[in-house]
Amino acid sequence: MAERIDDLQCNGYRIIQDTDGFCFGMDAVLLANYALSSVNSETKLLDLCSGTGIVPLLIAAKTECAELTGIELQADVADMAGRSVKLNHQEGRMKIIQGDLRDIKKMGLDSSMNVVTCNPPYMNAGLKNVTDRKLISRHEVMCTLADVCYAATYTLKSNGKFFMVHRPNRLVDIFTELRKVHLEPKRMRLVYPYANSEANMVLLEAVKGGRTQLTVEKPLVVYKDKNIYTDEIVSIYAVS
């Protein structure tokens, strides 16, 4: 392992990562930002497939969220996340559970959360990454989309919100699996690398037991020129 401590450029928060493993990317940052408006000082939030805890850490840095919990399968990655919690002195409101979300019924979290977030493995076919940690992070080898959706609905309160970032080419699968477990898609935003390119990410909000109505929001474009972020991306990453 080659650990390093990175500055999140937000309220002095830092994160421990392993450069030989899977470091967080823009998808995690966008997911955390997408969920922010639904978080307040009474919110109990759960992050599935939490990795090194980047999503709950960013939300903790930017909100007064009451309680934040991350579930991560891989013991060494969960250990890094737990140490990041201590590094930022957030033990009072944030914890990391090392466990398998497929065993969600054994964790005592049923119908307890206002918000659930997830940046899950995207790929269910194709080439696999060489190292196990990257394979587990990117491919559905240890949990499927259906497993993620079930864990979300099981832990959410009625009318609780589920936020996920995924790939647009899985949208049909996503809507199918969400509705199977009574999570109704309510809000969707496609993310484009450039204005004239195809979308490569989708941000989604679903409500447990929600009524049928989906709002497709304006596109989010990442770059206005090579290596130059758009103003909206700059504002999302803005130092605070």
Side-chain angles (χ1 to χ4, degrees), residues 74-87:
Q74 300 175 83
D76 54 347
V77 181
D79 176 68
M80 280 189 285
R83 286 186 282 124
S84 288
V85 172
K86 294 178 181 178
L87 181 67

Side-chain angles (χ1 to χ4, degrees), residues 5 24 31 63 70 74-75 86 112 128 161 167 171 192 208 210 215-216 219-220 227 240:
I5 297 175
F24 77 86
L31 173 61
T63 73
Q74 300 175 83
K86 294 178 181 178
S112 59
K128 303 291 191 289
K161 294 183 178 182
R167 292 289 185 249
L171 269 172
Y192 296 78
K208 184 176 179 178
T215 299
V216 179
L220 174 57
N227 298 323
S240 59

Side-chain angles (χ1 to χ4, degrees), residues 117-226:
T117 57
C118 189
N119 181 5
Y122 297 144
M123 303 176 193
N124 63 353
L127 295 173
K128 303 291 191 289
N129 291 91
V130 176
T131 63
D132 284 348
R133 264 185 288 173
K134 288 186 178 180
L135 186 149
I136 290 170
S137 297
R138 290 174 172 166
H139 294 264
E140 292 183 353
V141 294
M142 298 303 291
C143 73
T144 64
L145 178 59
D147 294 328
V148 166
C149 292
Y150 180 80
T153 199
Y154 185 80
T155 54
L156 279 170
K157 297 179 179 180
S158 180
N159 294 314
K161 294 183 178 182
F162 176 44
F163 294 90
M164 180 167 61
V165 61
H166 216 290
R167 292 289 185 249
N169 64 357
R170 299 291 307 279
L171 269 172
V172 174
D173 296 335
I174 291 166
F175 289 150
T176 299
E177 296 301 338
L178 287 172
R179 279 191 158 172
K180 279 182 183 178
V181 294
H182 309 293
L183 289 170
E184 185 62 28
K186 301 294 289 183
R187 194 160 59 101
M188 180 180 90
R189 191 174 194 190
L190 289 165
V191 182
Y192 296 78
Y194 295 92
N196 62 350
S197 63
E198 292 185 3
N200 66 347
M201 282 187 274
V202 61
L203 296 161
L204 284 158
E205 174 192 320
V207 174
K208 184 176 179 178
R211 295 180 178 179
T212 304
Q213 183 173 341
L214 174 65
T215 299
V216 179
E217 300 174 321
K218 70 175 184 177
L220 174 57
V221 179
V222 176
Y223 296 103
K224 57 185 176 182
D225 206 343
K226 187 176 180 179

Side-chain angles (χ1 to χ4, degrees), residues 58-77:
L58 285 172
I59 292 173
K62 294 182 177 183
T63 73
E64 297 298 321
C65 189
E67 295 180 21
L68 305 99
T69 302
I71 296 177
E72 169 54 37
L73 173 66
Q74 300 175 83
D76 54 347
V77 181

